[in-house]
Amino acid sequence: MLVIGAGPAGTIAASILKQQGLNLKIVEKQKFPRFVIGESLLPRCMDHLDAAGLLDAVKAQGFQEKFGALFVRGDEVCDYLFADQFTKGWNWTWQVPRAQFDKTLADEVEKKGVPIDYQTGVTDIKFHDGYSLTTVEHIDGSKKEIEAKFIVDASGYGRVIPRMFNLDEPSNFPVRKAFFAHIKDPKRPGGVNGNRITVVVHTKDVWIWIIPFSNGNTSVGFVGTPEFFEQFKGTDEKSFRAMLATDATTSDRFKDADIVFPSTVIEGYAIRTKKLYGDGFVLTGNATEFLDPVFSSGVTFAMESGHTAADLVARHLKGDGTVDWHNEYTVHMMQGINTFRSYVSRWYDGTLHDIFFARNIRQDFKNQICSVLAGYVWDLNNPFVKKHDTMLQTLAKVIGINEQQNT
Ligand SMILES: Cc1cc2nc3c(=O)[nH]c(=O)nc-3n(C[C@H](O)[C@H](O)[C@H](O)COP(=O)(O)OP(=O)(O)OC[C@H]3O[C@@H](n4cnc5c(N)ncnc54)[C@H](O)[C@@H]3O)c2cc1C
């Protein structure tokens, strides 16, 4: 068994495969700790960390606990508290610098007996009947071949198998860009709101994330279409400071603050794939589809797919001929991805702004939406999961009518 990549998808998959008694290794292109974006987890992640035996190791790191998410538009504030959610599940999680988080998971998986070859990138894969031969190259230039009965591709943005076998498909979301940095945050507000992830509606098309960490630093990022960023000239740092100065939520708090991680730009990250599995391989995490950062769903999907894929691979390799990859993997994953797809679409067309900042919204609806924001997007008893797009559009219409009547 070979797992490509030691991010959350790879380490969750590896830990579950090891629990099932399989022989495996991970190859990882980079040296850990390494930076990757994706710092706000959803409570659904806790189920997977727990099942993979990784929860205690993460708890010991003292990461910033996350109990909800705050949305802000000018003076309007909407607070979603995971304790209020409809689906029975975890009501908290963490906000994590990913370098430390991913290294914690990888070290723990190694302790459980899974070897990780770092600085070793996959350069070629040949699939044969019942096995595959993967060529990997170490940073020192040495190459070797790894024979495996099955490959879990958890290579994230590297998208090893999709790129090698022409499985990439463009996303139907427009190209968006993110501009972000880690900043020292001595003026962090007191109370619970100071530590809570905040999503700020900057303009209808542009939003800002503010993700405080327990180490006193805060991750701040602007997301919008590339045109928005054209107005900011000069170095990345100069542009980023100019952006911070344009919003009331960030201007005072981060004025003159030290930038601890250089301002970074990522563009055109949304992508999808023609299929999620094939003979001898399964794609997980960002090697499958990545939608958008706005609801912090990326790591949740990485873990959900890593866990689900590992269970199916273990059954398959133990000779269970009943594994139904289409229904048990693709349909399962697409159920969650398509739910979030609706929420992302309705965020950018303003429908969710209308819902979040409505003056009156029924608490039971809010609790059901809260479960989606917590990552519980497989609970078909939740109408805001089962009929995700229809429920959002209908609710926004009703809110619009009520607000018209009250003005
Ligand atoms: C702007 C932005 C903000 C985001 N914010 C959030 C957020 O707040 N919350 C959230 O949950 N998600 C967020 N995401 C998404 C998140 O970054 C990803 O969904 C998540 O990191 C995917 O995990 P993964 O395990 O699939 O891949 P990764 O974490 O990318 O790990 C893949 C690993 O594979 C390795 N690899 C790559 N190629 C090879 C190769 N050839 N050989 C060997 N190894 C290889 C890489 O080095 C890497 O370590 C955000 C994304 C963007 C673009």
Side-chain angles (χ1 to χ4, degrees):
M1 268 292 323
L2 179 66
V3 176
I4 307 172
T11 47
I12 291 282
S15 197
I16 300 280
L17 288 163
K18 188 71 192 170
Q19 282 172 3
Q20 304 268 355
L22 293 169
N23 227 337
L24 71 145
K25 74 150 55 192
I26 302 180
V27 288
E28 164 56 57
K29 196 173 178 175
Q30 299 186 63
K31 185 178 172 191
F32 275 26
R34 59 90 179 87
F35 174 80
V36 65
I37 194 63
E39 297 149 335
S40 167
L41 308 185
L42 301 183
R44 174 66 179 154
C45 292
M46 307 302 259
D47 294 300
H48 300 304
L49 289 167
D50 195 14
L54 300 170
L55 197 56
D56 288 342
V58 182
K59 268 188 191 158
Q61 296 295 311
F63 291 123
Q64 176 60 54
E65 292 170 336
K66 168 180 171 182
F67 296 97
L70 206 61
F71 294 86
V72 172
R73 181 176 66 181
D75 295 337
E76 301 165 291
V77 175
C78 162
D79 198 1
Y80 276 97
L81 267 184
F82 297 135
D84 292 338
Q85 60 164 313
F86 168 85
T87 303
K88 297 279 163 277
W90 286 81
N91 59 18
W92 66 280
T93 186
W94 287 288
Q95 292 154 191
V96 297
R98 284 286 300 281
Q100 187 187 345
F101 178 72
D102 288 18
K103 181 156 173 30
T104 304
L105 299 184
D107 287 352
E108 199 60 21
V109 166
E110 266 192 313
K111 279 189 213 150
K112 291 177 189 292
V114 179
I116 305 181
D117 290 356
Y118 284 104
Q119 297 186 294
T120 303
V122 171
T123 56
D124 188 46
I125 303 175
K126 296 267 183 296
F127 287 101
H128 301 280
D129 198 14
Y131 73 102
S132 56
L133 282 177
T134 297
T135 309
V136 294
E137 185 172 342
H138 189 263
I139 194 167
D140 66 10
S142 60
K143 288 187 177 183
K144 66 176 176 186
E145 273 190 340
I146 300 172
E147 186 179 326
K149 284 191 184 145
F150 214 96
I151 299 176
V152 174
D153 184 352
S155 59
Y157 300 97
R159 301 183 69 75
V160 169
I161 290 182
R163 284 194 179 139
M164 228 171 250
F165 296 93
N166 198 21
L167 301 179
D168 272 348
E169 282 211 319
S171 165
N172 35 18
F173 287 131
V175 171
R176 294 200 171 87
K177 180 167 171 172
F179 211 128
F180 52 88
H182 289 181
I183 311 180
K184 285 208 187 300
D185 192 8
K187 291 192 237 163
R188 187 180 288 183
V192 285
N193 283 358
N195 290 330
R196 184 156 297 165
I197 178 176
T198 305
V199 173
V200 182
V201 178
H202 179 64
T203 63
K204 190 173 167 232
D205 296 330
V206 180
W207 60 276
I208 309 167
W209 79 68
I210 302 173
I211 303 177
F213 298 136
S214 56
N215 63 9
N217 298 336
T218 291
S219 174
V220 182
F222 283 72
V223 181
T225 54
E227 296 75 54
F228 164 75
F229 296 94
E230 281 167 13
Q231 61 185 295
F232 302 99
K233 309 281 182 217
T235 61
D236 282 354
E237 178 170 343
K238 195 168 170 230
S239 301
F240 191 64
R241 288 198 185 278
M243 274 172 230
L244 291 171
T246 60
D247 195 278
T249 323
T250 50
S251 55
D252 281 348
R253 178 164 166 185
F254 299 114
K255 190 168 186 285
D256 303 325
D258 290 340
I259 294 184
V260 282
F261 187 90
S263 330
T264 306
V265 183
I266 302 189
E267 185 169 342
Y269 33 72
I271 186 130
R272 48 203 298 188
T273 181
K274 288 179 189 147
K275 57 180 185 178
L276 299 191
Y277 64 92
D279 280 344
F281 74 88
V282 59
L283 309 180
T284 60
N286 262 40
T288 61
E289 170 157 1
F290 180 65
L291 293 169
D292 190 90
V294 67
F295 296 119
S296 307
S297 57
V299 174
T300 302
F301 284 132
M303 292 188 175
E304 184 83 26
S305 57
H307 185 170
T308 310
D311 280 342
L312 295 174
V313 173
R315 274 173 53 201
H316 171 77
L317 291 181
K318 288 177 182 174
D320 176 349
T322 67
V323 174
D324 177 350
W325 283 98
H326 176 68
N327 280 308
E328 293 183 76
Y329 194 61
T330 303
V331 172
H332 175 75
M333 288 313 302
M334 292 321 288
Q335 157 61 38
I337 290 171
N338 286 333
T339 303
F340 268 109
R341 193 189 313 282
S342 293
Y343 282 69
V344 169
S345 303
R346 298 303 150 230
W347 171 264
Y348 285 103
D349 75 6
T351 304
L352 268 171
H353 300 182
D354 294 343
I355 292 175
F356 286 177
F357 302 110
R359 273 168 288 180
N360 282 308
I361 173 168
R362 270 173 49 179
Q363 189 61 38
D364 53 339
F365 289 163
K366 202 174 167 191
N367 297 353
Q368 289 162 358
I369 293 172
C370 186
S371 283
V372 172
L373 302 185
Y376 287 100
V377 283
W378 289 271
D379 177 6
L380 295 177
N381 292 321
N382 181 350
F384 281 83
V385 169
K386 193 170 165 64
K387 295 183 181 171
H388 33 91
D389 207 27
T390 319
M391 287 302 287
L392 292 179
Q393 301 214 47
T394 310
L395 179 57
K397 260 190 213 144
V398 173
I399 286 170
I401 295 166
N402 287 347
E403 300 219 334
Q404 256 176 2
Q405 283 171 349
N406 293 335
T407 48

